[in-house]
Amino acid sequence: MSLAKYRQKRDFKETTEPQAGKPEKGKHIFVVQRHHASRLHYDFRLEVDGVLKSWAVPKGPSMNPADKRLAMEVEDHPYDYKDFEGTIPAGNYGAGTVYIWDKGTFELLRGDGDFDKEALKEIKDGDLKIVMKGKKLKGEFALVKMKGGREANAWLLIKHKDKYAVDEYDSEDYTPERVKAQGLKNKAASKAAKKKSS
Ligand code: MN
């Protein structure tokens, strides 16, 4: 998979975001990063074929099967992004605060052979079913591409009904207050910097 798009968007003299990374064999990691940029969203990333397949989820993931969360497919991120946390400086792509909200491993619900091959096919088909083993996100989830949608990269992230499912869920309730406060502070600083430079 190419990280060209990822690299193109960033100036690595400015941002401390990683440029590469090599996955460990035998397991597949996921990470969910709360990204307080110009708009708050959660980045949902799954390691497939050596990179992190990524979706931006504006409302954050939910453990309630009734919530169908819009998930916008974005460019692949390098494997080492799984550990990235901190501030992307003002004026840079994605400027804001990144917090690792959850991480763990995942498996394909229907997988029984070549993981990468099967995962890539499910993504291509717009119907990815996974089992998550995180601290917050647990059990079965589906990522389904919206058909005939307005936007080609729009998917839905949906929790399956299983023993981990709950009736109500708001990912912000599981975010520490200090993280929320830092995000607001950085956003205000970024806005002020923009005003100054324009
Ligand atoms: Mn983001």
Side-chain angles (χ1 to χ4, degrees):
M1 281 297 121
S2 166
L3 292 169
K5 209 169 164 191
Y6 171 86
R7 294 192 180 116
Q8 231 169 51
K9 287 182 170 181
R10 289 165 178 83
D11 179 353
F12 294 103
K13 287 198 278 296
E14 295 250 349
T15 181
T16 56
E17 291 166 285
Q19 297 190 53
K22 207 168 172 256
E24 279 176 53
K25 283 213 170 83
K27 61 172 183 175
H28 295 269
I29 63 99
F30 81 86
V31 65
V32 178
Q33 282 150 322
R34 181 182 183 273
H35 186 182
H36 203 152
S38 52
R39 274 193 191 182
L40 175 65
H41 61 274
Y42 285 67
D43 289 307
F44 188 90
R45 310 190 196 279
L46 304 172
E47 178 209 332
V48 175
D49 201 24
V51 295
L52 301 179
K53 293 285 169 192
S54 299
W55 290 261
V57 184
K59 287 187 173 173
S62 176
M63 293 295 288
N64 176 1
D67 292 333
K68 292 176 171 55
R69 294 295 201 227
L70 179 66
M72 301 303 287
E73 190 178 10
V74 297
E75 76 273 17
D76 296 346
H77 278 50
Y79 178 72
D80 282 352
Y81 212 93
K82 69 182 176 56
D83 299 316
F84 181 72
E85 199 166 52
T87 303
I88 301 171
N92 287 271
Y93 180 74
T97 315
V98 177
Y99 164 72
I100 297 176
W101 185 82
D102 196 17
K103 62 180 172 183
T105 59
F106 75 102
E107 288 161 14
L108 296 176
L109 183 61
R110 298 168 289 197
D112 58 2
D114 184 330
F115 181 96
D116 289 327
K117 204 174 144 197
E118 291 179 356
L120 287 173
K121 182 171 189 303
E122 289 194 20
I123 291 170
K124 194 170 163 243
D125 292 346
D127 179 22
L128 178 65
K129 291 191 168 63
I130 57 175
V131 183
M132 303 190 75
K133 293 175 185 169
K135 289 208 173 73
K136 298 184 176 83
L137 301 182
K138 295 175 199 283
E140 295 178 21
F141 282 82
L143 261 163
V144 185
K145 195 167 187 173
M146 290 172 80
K147 287 198 182 97
R150 307 132 274 185
E151 282 163 289
N153 55 346
W155 295 57
L156 294 173
L157 175 65
I158 306 161
K159 175 81 191 92
H160 278 176
K161 284 178 188 156
D162 61 16
K163 64 177 178 178
Y164 300 110
V166 298
D167 290 339
E168 254 179 76
Y169 198 89
D170 181 348
S171 51
E172 285 291 277
D173 292 343
Y174 299 89
T175 300
E177 289 306 320
R178 61 165 177 89
V179 173
K180 293 183 200 174
Q182 187 63 47
L184 290 170
K185 210 173 126 189
N186 287 355
K187 193 177 166 180
S190 173
K191 250 189 188 161
K194 233 183 220 167
K195 245 187 193 161
K196 233 181 183 177
S197 68
S198 63

